Structure formats: C-alpha cells, structure tokens
Amino acid sequence: MKKTILTAAFLMTATAAFAQSAAESTGANSVLGRAPTTADFIMQASASGMYEIESSKLALTKGDDATKKFAQQMITDHEKASAELKALIDSGKVQGNPVTALTEDHKEDVDELAKLEGADFIEEYFDDQVEAHEDAVDLFKRYAEEGENADLKAFAAKTLPALEHHYKMAQDMDK
C-alpha cells in the first residue's frame, strides 16, 4: 500500500512538473501570467542569454556603427547576467541546468541572420532583438514576481531593468 501511495505521489509530482514545463514552452504560462518553474526559468533565461550573445557577435561583424555599439552592449550585459546565473547555480542556492548550446530554434535564427548583409541584416537583427527582449522581459518579470526560489527571484528582479532597457533600445533601433 505504501509503495502504491509513493508511486502515485511521484507520478502526480512528475506530471505536475511536466505540465508546468509544457505550459511554459507553449506560452500558456505567459498568457496566464504564471511564473515559470525554477528549472524552466533557468533553461529559458540561459537560452535567451546565449542567443543574445551569439546573434550580437554576428552584428559586430555585419552591422553599422550604431548596430555594433548596441551589439557590444548586449554581449557585455548578457555575459554578465549569464555569469551571475551560473554563480547562483554553482553556489547551490539554485538548482537547475542552464543550456550549454543554442536551442534548435535559436540556432536556426542565427543561421538565417548570418545569411543576410547590410540593411537586410540590420533590419532582421533588430526585429529579432525586439522579439527576444519582449520574451525575456516577460519571463524575468513573471519569475521576479512569483518565482519559487528567493535567490533566483532576486536575480530576476535585479536583471529585469537592464532587459527592459534593452527592449526599449531595440524598439528605438528597429524604426
């Protein structure tokens, strides 16, 4: 009997965790304004940061002066945030696994961006930056407000103003 109860409890916990992950990956949590799980936040925040860095490295070689200046700020700020997130995980204050490579979608986006030149590159880069930062602001805001880990909530809240600033800058450059 105890084994059956433990198995049922495990399955309910695993199902709930999967449901939250599925809800986060489909955007349902965002629509409902729910905070992502800690694991989802770490995966998405690290994936977003990695994408920002990699796409901005391309912009350093393909953009005009204003684009290069923006791209360098993205690289600097996102490398700093990524290092802070890694330090929280390494300290044991936060449990989770950051991504170690671009997601398939992000890799496709970077590959498509790499094919562009000149004004086409700049236009697409800033379109992508607006979209990526809109998603990041939403993710960090939801976790900062209702996340389950106090240290990670503090990180999200501390990082959010920079992401909001990036979002505004990208919108201004995308005109």
Side-chain angles (χ1 to χ4, degrees):
M1 178 73 171
K2 284 183 182 178
K3 191 173 188 176
T4 302
I5 292 171
L6 287 174
T7 301
F10 171 77
L11 288 174
M12 288 183 349
T13 302
T15 301
F18 174 75
Q20 287 183 345
S21 293
E24 190 63 33
S25 66
T26 62
N29 280 348
S30 180
V31 170
L32 297 172
R34 288 190 197 146
T37 64
T38 295
D40 283 343
F41 177 82
I42 291 169
M43 286 177 33
Q44 289 190 8
S46 61
S48 176
M50 187 174 291
Y51 170 72
E52 292 296 332
I53 293 165
E54 292 306 312
S55 63
S56 294
K57 285 179 181 177
L58 272 177
L60 287 179
T61 63
K62 293 181 167 251
D64 59 14
D65 288 343
T67 302
K68 289 177 181 180
K69 182 177 178 185
F70 175 89
Q72 186 57 61
Q73 184 172 355
M74 294 308 102
I75 293 167
T76 300
D77 291 354
H78 286 280
E79 283 179 343
K80 179 181 178 216
S82 295
E84 289 173 6
L85 180 59
K86 184 179 181 325
L88 276 173
I89 294 167
D90 290 348
S91 74
K93 293 179 181 179
V94 176
Q95 302 296 312
N97 297 308
V99 299
T100 57
L102 287 172
T103 65
E104 193 171 313
D105 287 344
H106 285 151
K107 182 171 179 359
E108 286 176 16
D109 289 345
V110 170
D111 289 347
E112 287 301 312
L113 199 56
K115 295 175 186 174
L116 301 174
E117 298 293 333
D120 292 336
F121 173 86
I122 292 168
E123 181 179 343
E124 187 61 31
Y125 174 69
F126 283 112
D127 285 348
D128 291 351
Q129 292 301 306
V130 168
E131 185 178 325
H133 282 96
E134 182 177 26
D135 292 346
V137 165
D138 175 65
L139 177 73
F140 276 70
K141 184 175 187 177
R142 287 184 293 119
Y143 200 89
E145 291 173 353
E146 297 183 28
E148 57 198 8
N149 178 291
D151 291 310
L152 197 55
K153 278 176 74 168
F155 164 76
K158 182 180 111 186
T159 307
L160 183 57
L163 293 172
E164 290 170 330
H165 179 66
H166 294 171
Y167 180 48
K168 173 81 170 88
M169 289 171 50
Q171 287 177 313
D172 291 345
M173 297 290 286
D174 194 34
K175 293 183 178 178

